[in-house]
Amino acid sequence: MSDPVLPTSRYYTTPVRIDEGEGGDGVPFLGRRIIPARDRFVPLGHVDLAGDERIDALAAERMGDPLLYWRIVDADGTDDPARVASEPRKRLMLPLPLEASGDGDT
């Protein structure tokens, strides 16, 4: 069986669980993902927002991959990606991956 998620996914370190169910079929599912505490993130840089940016576009421009938007969202401490970049004049942290910051015990 191949990995259920890509290494760049926010769910990569989330454990795969098995639901045996009544028939014992063994249906795999991803366990619960806990968002890391904000103080665990180390800045790679910051960006001052105008208020009309898209979080995936910021991730593509600054981190090289639009699918890494979730790292910015996690570091911001919000649960709604659409809200992260919607405030004008907000200073947004672009975090190092936790694995690279020495705090990779996610």
Side-chain angles (χ1 to χ4, degrees):
M1 179 172 138
S2 65
D3 287 333
V5 291
L6 296 173
T8 55
S9 169
R10 74 182 101 183
Y11 298 105
Y12 185 66
T13 60
T14 304
V16 176
R17 309 263 189 227
I18 303 293
D19 179 4
E20 295 302 331
E22 291 181 23
D25 294 339
V27 178
F29 67 97
L30 289 176
R32 183 175 180 197
R33 176 181 178 265
I34 306 297
I35 298 172
R38 289 180 71 188
D39 62 357
R40 292 181 59 195
F41 292 94
V42 174
L44 170 66
H46 292 85
V47 62
D48 295 317
L49 302 178
D52 59 352
E53 291 89 352
R54 287 182 37 160
I55 198 72
D56 59 336
L58 281 173
E61 178 184 331
R62 302 296 180 103
M63 301 169 101
D65 185 346
L67 296 179
L68 293 178
Y69 75 91
W70 61 271
R71 289 185 175 165
I72 299 170
V73 175
D74 281 359
D76 192 58
T78 190
D79 59 357
D80 183 2
R83 277 198 330 234
V84 173
S86 65
E87 293 179 39
R89 295 180 303 279
K90 178 179 180 178
R91 187 166 184 86
L92 189 64
M93 180 203 311
L94 303 170
L96 281 170
L98 289 177
E99 310 82 52
S101 68
D103 200 4
D105 186 20
T106 59

